[in-house]
Amino acid sequence: MSTGSFSGSHWAMRSYVLVVLLALLASEHVSCQSNGFDAREVTIDSVHHDLYSYLTTCRDVVTGFLSRIQALNGTINAIITLNPNALATADAMDQVLSAGNATGPLFCIPVLLKDNYDTADMNTTGGNLDLAGSQPSVDAPAVTALRQAGAIILGKTNLHELALEGLSVSSAGGQTINPYDPTRTPGGSSGGSGAAVAASFAVFATGTDTVNSLRSPASANSLFSIRPTRGLISRNGIIPISYTQDTIGPIARTIKDVAIALTAMASVGYDPNDNATALVPASSVGKDYSASITSGSLKGVRLGLLNGFFNRTASNETTPVNAAIDTMVRKLQSAGATIVPINETIYNATAISNSLDVQRFEYRESMDAYLQRPTLKGTHPETLQQLYDSKNYLVIPSQYEYVNTALTSSTSNTTYAPIKSAIQNLTLALQTTFTANNLSYLIYPEQKKLVVKLGSPSQSGRNGILAALTGSPVVTVPAGFSPKTDEAPIGVPIGMEILGTPWSEEGLLQVAYQIEMLMHVRRSPVVAEGFVETREFESVPSITPDVGNIPSAYPVGVR
């Protein structure tokens, strides 16, 4: 299969400039909602205000987002497919609304799913061409929970193929573009979700996180996300990589929306098909994380600053990150937080990843079990080996060794048990750091440098491995932007991670809310600022991902 050429991102840049100009013209001439629902930067609360005040209808809400996707997705290539039932679901909800029976914390909230969540009404591809015909017969429990809370599943987002890296390029979805800078990636692997939410294609989206994948796109797109404690949300029905490291969660434009979404997704509770859910303590069962989100304070909070998670070598890529986090630290101190420098040499993200990451041992076994489930219908390979024998896949060259090793590895390897033991030691060391320093949370940049350019070998410099291995919860918050450039008219977003001890999601979200109110960093990308006229749709439009924009550095069917 030919993937086309990608000469210096010129095509993406020309397309981006055109859309930016149109957006600026539109924003000058449209100062208010003029024709249909204005979906720009809306929140769960603002959608509900308009619905329950009868200022709009559920169908108008959905068509507002569909109109934005149809107008702007060609620029960022974030969507793999749209849900053909979305408008019918909205019409049914309008009937409920008219009868005065609207209920549910997510009633008529359009949500996009990363395309590794099983859905009975759409294929689940993982961005892989060989899974294009794979059709689950049941929803993943987390998807069921979102629907039961009232959400409208609008469609599926692109991702780094099978969620294996952070560039967000796939054989089925092409390359997703960062809406803040068309020469850069959107982070990943949940990059389609991040780019889509940044461009107001949905109120929020879901992602998965094996090492960085909920946090990297949040950082790169000026968004909020949470990687919950392993076990809080069932991972059943999600295309897997690693039992030890996989988690799922939401990405949104406000921390309150993250909290509402987390509450819904965690309502699954104990799931016998994911025994990690048995670990959830009674204090976290059925918790409404949005109820107390405004009650926290930064005064007296002790934040450990992981100095080993910075790159202090000055460059155009690292200096903006260091400056943004340093500014954040000063403002946190002014707001009453105590910053505790943590200089222990154990906290070296690269060294931890190189020695303790267990994906390659667990990947094949997990994928084979997923592909052989009786609830997975349609056409699809039966094993991971069959998938990678098909030539209908994209693996970036820096992961050739990983994939080929994973195909011959398992949890029976003699090196697996010692590494799992070392992970337990790391988990104990992390808890010791918290206790010895009387810490509330740890803070550090999600990525030591700006999110990488299109065509880069990998999404290097990220710091997610500590939480991934220890199962700790992490909230990512916008921390700032790099200086403006021609390519990035408001700069490239920079994010900060806040890591807590297991089951501390409520406190993490409270601190993140205080930081959101203190900093007000979040800004919409220029490409998405303009009002998009709402179209009338008889049916949900189809979306064809641009697979012709795959950088030539990533040949399809090669490993």
Side-chain angles (χ1 to χ4, degrees):
M1 171 184 174
S2 173
T3 60
S5 63
F6 201 87
S7 57
S9 307
H10 293 316
W11 172 88
M13 189 65 196
R14 285 198 301 270
S15 175
Y16 178 86
V17 168
L18 176 61
V19 174
V20 166
L21 290 173
L22 291 172
L24 291 173
L25 287 170
S27 62
E28 280 192 25
H29 292 290
V30 183
S31 59
C32 62
Q33 180 177 325
S34 61
N35 187 10
F37 181 77
D38 187 351
R40 289 175 296 181
E41 297 289 303
V42 297
T43 65
I44 294 170
D45 285 347
S46 68
V47 171
H48 282 170
H49 173 271
D50 285 1
L51 281 171
Y52 300 146
S53 301
Y54 298 100
L55 298 174
T56 192
T57 65
C58 190
R59 186 180 180 93
D60 283 345
V61 171
V62 171
T63 56
F65 283 108
L66 291 177
S67 296
R68 289 188 64 80
I69 292 170
Q70 193 168 62
L72 300 176
N73 188 60
T75 302
I76 62 174
N77 201 40
I79 307 298
I80 282 186
T81 190
L82 292 175
N83 185 354
N85 301 317
L87 287 172
T89 303
D91 290 341
M93 288 189 177
D94 278 330
Q95 295 291 325
V96 172
L97 185 64
S98 296
N101 295 324
T103 59
L106 297 177
F107 180 82
C108 187
I109 298 300
V111 176
L112 286 165
L113 304 176
K114 184 178 182 179
D115 196 15
N116 57 355
Y117 281 62
D118 278 359
T119 48
D121 50 2
M122 288 174 283
N123 296 114
T124 298
T125 74
N128 173 258
L129 280 172
D130 217 32
L131 293 177
S134 184
Q135 179 59 68
S137 58
V138 295
D139 286 341
V143 176
T144 299
L146 289 169
R147 295 193 206 263
Q148 289 177 342
I152 295 179
I153 305 304
L154 201 56
K156 298 282 198 77
T157 59
N158 195 25
L159 63 159
H160 194 101
E161 183 149 332
L162 298 175
L164 292 185
E165 230 275 352
L167 301 172
S168 294
V169 60
S170 70
S171 59
Q175 174 69 66
T176 298
I177 310 298
N178 191 308
Y180 292 88
D181 180 345
T183 70
R184 292 183 187 268
T185 64
S189 62
S190 311
S193 290
V197 174
S200 294
F201 287 1
V203 177
F204 69 88
T206 67
T208 60
D209 191 311
T210 304
V211 183
N212 294 278
S213 299
L214 276 159
R215 295 163 284 162
S216 170
S219 175
N221 291 280
S222 195
L223 300 171
F224 299 84
S225 73
I226 186 165
R227 175 194 164 101
T229 307
R230 182 173 52 244
L232 185 64
I233 307 175
S234 170
R235 302 164 295 180
N236 180 25
I238 311 297
I239 295 178
I241 300 174
S242 165
Y243 175 85
T244 299
Q245 298 176 209
D246 287 348
T247 54
I248 68 174
I251 303 175
R253 291 182 293 272
T254 71
I255 199 66
K256 184 176 181 183
D257 283 358
V258 167
I260 296 171
L262 176 67
T263 299
M265 295 175 74
S267 69
V268 173
Y270 171 68
D271 181 354
N273 292 308
D274 181 1
N275 61 11
T277 58
L279 300 172
V280 181
S283 59
S284 294
V285 174
K287 183 178 287 292
D288 180 355
Y289 291 100
S290 67
S292 62
I293 196 166
T294 64
S295 62
S297 173
L298 292 172
K299 296 185 188 306
V301 173
R302 290 176 60 83
L303 301 172
L305 183 66
L306 280 187
N307 286 318
F309 278 21
F310 288 78
N311 182 348
R312 291 294 184 179
T313 302
S315 74
N316 291 336
E317 299 296 304
T318 59
T319 298
V321 174
N322 295 332
I325 303 300
D326 290 345
T327 298
M328 172 76 80
V329 166
R330 289 193 295 271
K331 291 189 176 182
L332 290 172
Q333 288 175 313
S334 297
T338 298
I339 304 298
V340 182
I342 303 297
N343 299 312
E344 297 171 54
T345 56
I346 190 176
Y347 297 118
N348 179 312
T350 301
I352 293 171
S353 181
N354 289 343
S355 59
L356 299 182
D357 190 312
V358 294
Q359 293 178 74
R360 67 185 63 221
F361 300 105
E362 299 176 345
Y363 182 36
R364 179 176 59 83
E365 292 176 342
S366 298
M367 274 295 286
D368 286 355
Y370 172 86
L371 292 169
Q372 293 165 23
R373 291 176 312 144
T375 56
L376 192 63
K377 308 298 184 181
T379 57
H380 58 83
E382 295 292 323
T383 66
L384 189 64
Q385 185 68 58
Q386 288 179 11
L387 186 153
Y388 282 120
D389 284 344
S390 71
K391 304 299 183 184
N392 294 321
Y393 61 83
L394 187 154
V395 175
I396 60 174
S398 64
Q399 286 204 307
Y400 289 171
E401 185 273 337
Y402 161 73
V403 168
N404 289 323
T405 302
L407 288 171
T408 59
S409 298
S410 73
T411 55
S412 298
N413 285 35
T414 57
T415 51
Y416 178 71
I419 292 175
K420 289 285 285 185
S421 178
I423 291 173
Q424 292 179 340
N425 292 338
L426 176 66
T427 304
L428 179 59
L430 179 61
Q431 183 58 59
T432 301
T433 297
F434 269 88
T435 302
N437 294 280
N438 191 26
L439 298 178
S440 307
Y441 309 101
L442 290 172
I443 58 173
Y444 48 90
E446 201 293 319
Q447 193 163 4
K448 300 179 183 73
K449 61 182 184 179
L450 300 179
V451 68
V452 302
K453 295 276 191 175
L454 299 172
S456 294
S458 68
Q459 194 65 254
S460 56
R462 296 183 295 173
N463 289 319
I465 190 66
L466 180 63
L469 293 176
T470 61
S472 305
V474 175
V475 169
T476 304
V477 300
F481 289 85
S482 69
K484 301 175 184 178
T485 65
D486 291 342
E487 295 83 7
I490 63 172
V492 178
I494 296 160
M496 184 180 79
E497 292 195 21
I498 313 168
L499 182 149
T501 54
W503 320 112
S504 63
E505 282 83 357
E506 184 175 37
L508 274 171
L509 290 162
Q510 290 173 356
V511 166
Y513 178 82
Q514 294 300 318
I515 292 174
E516 181 183 12
M517 295 299 101
L518 174 70
M519 300 292 291
H520 295 286
V521 172
R522 161 75 194 161
R523 291 183 63 187
S524 171
V526 172
V527 72
E529 284 182 349
F531 176 77
V532 173
E533 289 259 330
T534 300
R535 296 188 54 185
E536 292 294 327
F537 295 102
E538 292 186 6
S539 60
V540 174
S542 62
I543 290 290
T544 302
D546 182 5
V547 297
N549 77 346
I550 297 174
S552 57
Y554 315 137
V556 171
V558 178
R559 59 173 173 88

